[in-house]
């Protein structure tokens, strides 16, 4: 089958091209590590007051590198004000009430993540009950920080796949192989689908590596399902790939492909929810793929949402990908009408 | 199945008056790139099993002409038929082996991977691909370089691999755009012998060239200048008709005639 042959060829090309391989796999890991060290101060000890919780809850917290100790309600409030502890938790009837010191977002985030995890471990049957979180000093909404890890994963995958697939399709054109390909009975849509499949398979590997690294090595706050993260990152790769191929038809050489970065990539960083924007400007984000990707990743990683909560985001990404593929197929008419 | 038969008959009906003894028929073809008139009223018929040379200086429109025959480009006006079917047509493209003027190869892939890829695109089976890979690489004298990445190839080696790729799927029609550029004389001779062999088996071959002495190796020659076909015939005929002893002289003569008219 021609689609399969094309997909295999792309995988072969990637296999031979060590530099691109490294760019796709190691550069994201390097970048993520860098950002991690810039943003996360080396969290020393994080103390949490356990006011009311089932037995064994502190042990669970210990597993997530947080020290939990029993406090009375008043002691806990006092300790929180003095900065001795970062959070306190009270679990009543399966519902948790958490007070957290938001002035140190990194610690607060780690504490919250640990609490959520420990809560899940202890109350296997009640994941439906959301914790009620009260921030004491910080603001409750800390978009820059809480969303950063999740958004960064989406952005990095989008960026590298966009660039590599775009340039790869461009080279198909400039090297004359596209013309040779079009002298065969291959159909235009088969070329597009072959590309999506080839890069798609590769990006499964990339998405897995990046997500795994973030969640299990860097321990980015993550309370949702790892499978869902993989699904989102895969769709991210597909939309980046189809958009990359689409833009490459407008470029005449590699450098012109690079010129799309400030036009296509950078604006998406501003509008993907990382920054607090005035509402009337923020709506621009609605037309940017990364906005939906970031939203879906944030939902899953920080709020622990399921498929239902991100279905809308995912369908938009999917619909856009299909749209781009159709456009690509039509644009190939420029090179051969049939 | 039934559907395809009906479809085929329809095509036949659509192409009345197509001489089936001809492999390729080009009728009143004009090609414009923007306002640039690149091919002018080309009429050309190529019988089966012949090596037909398309001879003319750079920029006269040879590549454009053969791309139209191969179904990659379409004429602005006029018709082109290959094997009785109006081009461009995907099912016919399976029966054409096209070798582009500039080598269209995947540099990071090995020669073998390049051949296997196009073999699969042409719908060949795994076993066929394997056998043919050996055969064609033998033919172009590249058997030792099967596992080398193409970016490590010299210009001549790339040219030979391109040729191997064009004949890989045993097409009954070969369209070769300047196939022997950059290939050393001995190997060039081998390649012409191979083309002869293929023609004897019934393969119809179009070869473009701007090197006059290569024209002698073709069964027939079409001379092209400024987007027009200025003369057709065998090399001998073209020379005898005007009493000259070389194809260069003939070209100058027919070209001059064209300028006057
Ligand atoms: N895609 C194109 N757009 C515009 N002009 C073209 C294009 N392709 C070829 N031409 C022009 O058409 C003419 C014939 O080109 P070509 O068929 O490549 O000639 P040849 O193969 O005989 O050297 C040249 O003047 C060339 O500049
Ligand atoms: Mg040419």
């Amino acid at each position: 089958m021609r689609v399969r042959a094309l997909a295999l060829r792309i995988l072969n090309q990637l296999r031979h091209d060590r530099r691109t391989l490294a760019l796709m796999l190691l550069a994201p890991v390097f970048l993520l590590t860098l950002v991690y060290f810039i943003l996360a101060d080396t969290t020393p000890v994080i103390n949490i007051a356990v006011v009311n919780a089932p037995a064994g809850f502190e042990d669970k917290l210990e597993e997530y590198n947080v020290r939990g100790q029993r406090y009375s309600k008043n002691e806990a409030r006092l300790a929180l004000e003095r900065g001795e502890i970062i959070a306190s938790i009270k679990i009543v009837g399966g519902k948790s009430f958490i007070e957290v010191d938001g002035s140190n977002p990194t610690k607060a985030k780690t504490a919250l993540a640990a609490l959520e995890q420990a809560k899940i471990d202890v109350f296997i049957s009640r994941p439906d009950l959301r914790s009620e979180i009260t921030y004491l000093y910080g603001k409750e909404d800390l978009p820059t920080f809480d969303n950063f890890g999740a958004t960064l994963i989406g952005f990095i995958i989008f960026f590298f796949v966009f660039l590599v697939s775009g340039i790869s399709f461009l080279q198909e054109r400039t090297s004359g192989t596209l013309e040779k390909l079009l002298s065969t009975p291959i159909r235009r849509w088969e070329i597009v689908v072959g590309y999506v499949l080839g890069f798609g398979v590769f990006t499964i590997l990339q998405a897995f590596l990046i997500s795994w690294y973030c969640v299990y090595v860097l321990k980015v706050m993550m309370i949702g399902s790892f499978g869902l993260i993989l699904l989102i990152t895969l769709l991210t790769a597909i939309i980046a790939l189809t958009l990359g191929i689409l833009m490459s038809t407008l470029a005449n050489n590699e450098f012109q492909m690079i010129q799309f970065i400030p036009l296509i990539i950078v604006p998406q960083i501003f509008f993907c929810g990382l920054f607090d924007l005035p509402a009337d400007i923020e709506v621009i984000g609605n037309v940017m793929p990364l906005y939906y990707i970031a939203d879906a990743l944030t939902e899953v990683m920080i709020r622990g949402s399921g498929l239902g909560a991100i279905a809308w985001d995912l369908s938009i990404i999917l619909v856009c990908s299909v749209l781009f593929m159709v456009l690509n197929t039509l644009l190939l008419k420029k090179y051969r009408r049939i | 199945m039934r559907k395809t038969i009906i479809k085929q008959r329809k095509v036949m009906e659509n192409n009345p008056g197509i001489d089936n003894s001809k492999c390729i028929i080009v009728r009143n073809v004009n090609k414009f790139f923007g306002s640039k008139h690149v091919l002018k009223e080309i009429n050309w018929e190529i019988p089966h099993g012949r090596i037909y040379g398309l001879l003319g200086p750079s920029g006269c429109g040879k590549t454009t002409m053969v791309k139209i025959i191969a179904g990659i480009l379409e004429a602005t006006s006029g018709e082109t038929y290959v094997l009785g079917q109006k081009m461009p047509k995907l099912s016919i493209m399976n029966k054409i082996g096209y070798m582009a003027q500039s080598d269209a190869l995947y540099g990071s892939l090995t020669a073998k991977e390049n051949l296997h890829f196009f073999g699969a695109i042409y719908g060949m089976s795994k076993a066929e691909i394997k056998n043919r890979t050996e055969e064609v690489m033998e033919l172009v004298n590249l058997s030792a370089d099967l596992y080398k990445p193409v970016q490590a190839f010299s210009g001549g080696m790339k040219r030979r691999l391109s040729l191997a790729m064009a004949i890989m799927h045993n097409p009954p029609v070969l369209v070769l755009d300047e196939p022997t550029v950059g290939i050393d004389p001995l190997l060039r001779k081998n390649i012409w012998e191979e083309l002869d062999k293929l023609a004897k088996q019934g393969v119809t071959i179009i070869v473009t060239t701007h090197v006059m002495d290569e024209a002698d190796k073709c069964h027939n020659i079409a001379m092209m200048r400024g987007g027009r076909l200025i003369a057709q015939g065998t090399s001998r005929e073209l020379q005898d008709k005007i009493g000259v002893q070389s194809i260069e002289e003939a070209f100058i003569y027919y070209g001059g005639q064209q300028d006057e008219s």
Side-chain angles (χ1 to χ4, degrees):
Chain A
M1 200 193 161
R2 290 189 282 256
V3 170
R4 205 183 79 117
L6 192 54
L8 278 177
R9 190 208 85 207
I10 284 166
L11 289 173
N12 262 334
Q13 282 177 301
L14 283 167
R15 191 167 57 89
H16 286 299
D17 188 354
R18 295 278 147 77
R19 280 180 76 105
T20 304
L21 217 55
L23 181 77
M24 299 275 277
L25 295 179
L26 301 181
V29 167
F30 170 73
L31 275 182
L32 283 165
T33 313
L34 209 62
V35 175
Y36 172 78
F37 279 116
I38 292 169
L39 293 181
D41 48 2
T42 45
T43 43
V45 191
I46 293 175
N47 290 311
I48 290 180
V50 180
V51 177
N52 191 21
F57 191 73
E58 297 101 301
D59 297 338
K60 284 288 170 206
L61 285 177
E62 207 76 48
E63 282 176 26
Y64 298 106
N65 305 318
V66 165
R67 186 192 296 157
Q69 275 175 313
R70 295 277 167 175
Y71 280 71
S72 77
K73 195 175 175 232
N74 287 338
E75 281 171 355
R77 172 59 63 85
L78 219 65
L80 201 58
E81 278 169 7
R82 287 201 210 105
E84 292 167 9
I85 56 168
I86 197 81
S88 76
I89 183 166
K90 183 175 73 177
I91 305 179
V92 182
K95 187 168 172 67
S96 345
F97 299 87
I98 298 172
E99 286 185 338
V100 64
D101 175 1
S103 55
N104 183 338
T106 315
K107 281 190 186 176
K109 195 184 64 172
T110 316
L112 283 177
L115 284 172
E116 286 301 328
Q117 285 291 358
K119 205 185 82 170
I120 290 166
D121 290 351
V122 177
F123 289 97
I124 310 152
S125 55
R126 304 298 305 264
D128 53 309
L129 284 183
R130 280 217 177 165
S131 310
E132 198 179 298
I133 300 170
T134 320
Y135 282 81
L136 251 74
Y137 300 120
K139 206 153 66 97
E140 174 155 14
D141 196 13
L142 294 165
T144 355
F145 214 85
D146 278 345
N147 295 356
F148 212 89
T151 307
L152 201 63
I153 294 179
F155 169 72
I156 283 182
I157 291 183
F158 190 92
F159 176 75
F160 284 106
V161 173
F162 174 84
L163 209 58
V164 170
S165 66
I167 287 180
S168 158
F169 196 71
L170 181 89
Q171 283 172 344
E172 182 97 54
R173 238 174 65 221
T174 53
S175 71
T177 47
L178 179 66
E179 188 178 69
K180 167 81 191 164
L181 209 50
L182 289 174
S183 79
T184 75
I186 198 166
R187 287 166 199 283
R188 284 179 281 117
W189 67 263
E190 287 175 322
I191 298 181
V192 176
V193 176
Y195 257 82
V196 171
L197 216 64
F199 275 103
V201 167
F202 177 72
T203 47
I204 289 179
L205 180 71
Q206 189 201 33
F208 185 83
L209 179 73
I210 293 177
S211 308
W212 174 83
Y213 187 76
C214 280
V215 172
Y216 294 103
V217 179
L218 297 184
K219 300 213 163 62
V220 170
M221 178 161 173
M222 157 74 179
I223 53 177
S225 125
F226 189 69
L228 278 182
I229 297 294
L230 275 184
L231 178 68
I232 300 169
T233 47
L234 187 64
L235 287 175
T236 304
I238 289 178
I239 195 168
L241 161 67
T242 48
L243 185 62
I245 296 176
L246 194 64
M247 297 321 289
S248 83
T249 53
L250 302 175
N252 287 321
N253 52 49
E254 280 86 344
F255 183 61
Q256 290 188 353
M257 196 63 211
I258 304 287
Q259 290 168 348
F260 283 128
I261 295 176
L263 281 175
I264 306 277
I265 307 280
V266 176
Q268 299 205 61
I269 304 177
F270 298 138
F271 289 100
C272 66
L274 279 185
F275 300 97
D276 249 338
L277 299 170
D280 44 348
I281 293 181
E282 205 171 45
V283 291
I284 301 176
N286 289 354
V287 299
M288 301 194 176
L290 208 54
Y291 171 87
Y292 298 96
I293 294 162
D295 188 56
L297 283 170
T298 310
E299 276 291 331
V300 174
M301 294 180 78
I302 292 168
R303 301 200 191 100
S305 311
L307 189 58
I310 56 170
W312 173 244
D313 289 325
L314 293 192
S315 26
I316 287 190
I317 299 170
L318 208 59
V319 166
C320 284
S321 303
V322 172
L323 186 75
F324 291 156
M325 282 169 77
V326 171
L327 275 176
N328 278 321
T329 308
L330 291 177
L331 270 179
L332 276 173
K333 275 195 175 186
K334 202 169 123 193
Y335 305 101
R336 189 185 74 188
R337 190 178 55 85
I338 56 165
Chain B
M1 200 57 225
R2 226 185 103 71
K3 222 173 177 176
T4 57
I5 291 170
I6 293 170
K7 223 172 162 182
Q8 251 171 18
R9 192 175 304 144
K10 231 184 189 161
V11 172
M12 293 296 204
E13 282 163 10
N14 282 347
N15 306 338
I18 286 305
D19 182 354
N20 277 323
S21 72
K22 297 288 188 283
C23 175
I24 296 164
I25 298 170
V26 179
R27 261 197 209 151
N28 306 327
V29 159
N30 284 282
K31 177 72 185 174
F32 287 84
F33 284 118
S35 62
K36 195 167 175 189
H37 201 171
V38 175
L39 294 180
K40 300 166 184 166
E41 280 298 308
I42 305 266
N43 280 288
W44 191 17
E45 299 195 343
I46 299 170
H48 289 276
R50 303 240 101 193
I51 304 181
Y52 219 120
L54 183 57
L55 184 67
S58 280
C60 73
K62 302 182 298 294
T63 298
T64 310
M65 184 67 250
V66 295
K67 274 188 192 169
I68 289 175
I69 291 174
I72 301 163
L73 283 181
E74 279 180 85
T76 313
S77 69
E79 290 121 44
T80 307
Y81 299 88
V82 176
L83 299 168
Q85 305 276 321
K86 190 163 190 238
M87 295 301 286
K89 191 171 174 63
L90 284 182
S91 60
I92 292 295
M93 291 170 107
N94 222 357
K95 303 196 163 96
I96 302 175
Y98 174 70
M99 174 178 175
Q101 183 172 354
S102 53
D103 296 301
L105 301 164
Y106 298 101
S108 60
L109 298 185
T110 64
K112 186 180 165 208
E113 285 165 337
N114 270 284
L115 284 168
H116 278 220
F117 170 59
F118 278 104
I121 291 290
Y122 278 115
M124 297 166 71
S125 74
K126 268 212 170 83
E128 276 179 297
I129 291 176
K130 196 164 169 284
N131 290 337
R132 273 303 275 173
T133 300
E134 274 170 34
E135 273 173 38
V136 296
M137 287 301 265
E138 187 82 32
L139 208 109
V140 295
N141 208 4
L142 282 175
S143 299
D145 306 292
L146 205 52
Y147 295 96
K148 242 192 222 158
V150 168
Q151 58 208 3
F153 276 28
S154 72
M157 288 163 81
K158 284 185 189 161
R159 213 70 206 116
R160 279 140 62 196
L161 181 59
S162 298
L163 179 63
M165 265 160 49
I167 58 177
M168 174 85 177
H169 60 296
N170 278 316
V173 179
L174 269 182
V175 176
L176 311 176
D177 201 356
E178 315 233 2
T180 54
V181 172
I183 296 183
D184 68 81
L186 187 68
L187 200 63
R188 192 185 294 201
K189 190 165 161 283
N190 288 346
I191 287 176
W192 276 104
E193 280 167 13
E194 279 311 324
L195 293 182
D196 256 330
K197 244 189 251 170
L198 287 172
K200 284 212 178 71
Q201 290 162 18
V203 178
T204 310
I205 305 171
I206 300 180
V207 179
T208 77
T209 179
H210 65 266
V211 187
M212 300 284 169
D213 63 356
E214 286 220 301
D216 281 329
K217 302 183 182 96
C218 303
H219 301 141
N220 294 66
I221 299 170
M223 289 184 174
M224 198 170 183
R225 229 183 96 161
R228 284 182 203 280
L229 275 194
I230 53 175
Q232 292 179 57
T234 65
S235 171
R236 224 12 321 127
E237 276 169 17
L238 289 172
Q239 291 169 46
D240 288 351
K241 213 153 92 187
I242 52 168
V244 294
Q245 290 310 311
S246 75
I247 204 76
E248 272 109 330
E249 284 174 281
F251 193 87
I252 291 164
Y253 175 85
Y254 292 111
Q257 240 185 6
Q258 184 65 41
D259 291 342
E260 282 157 30
S261 65

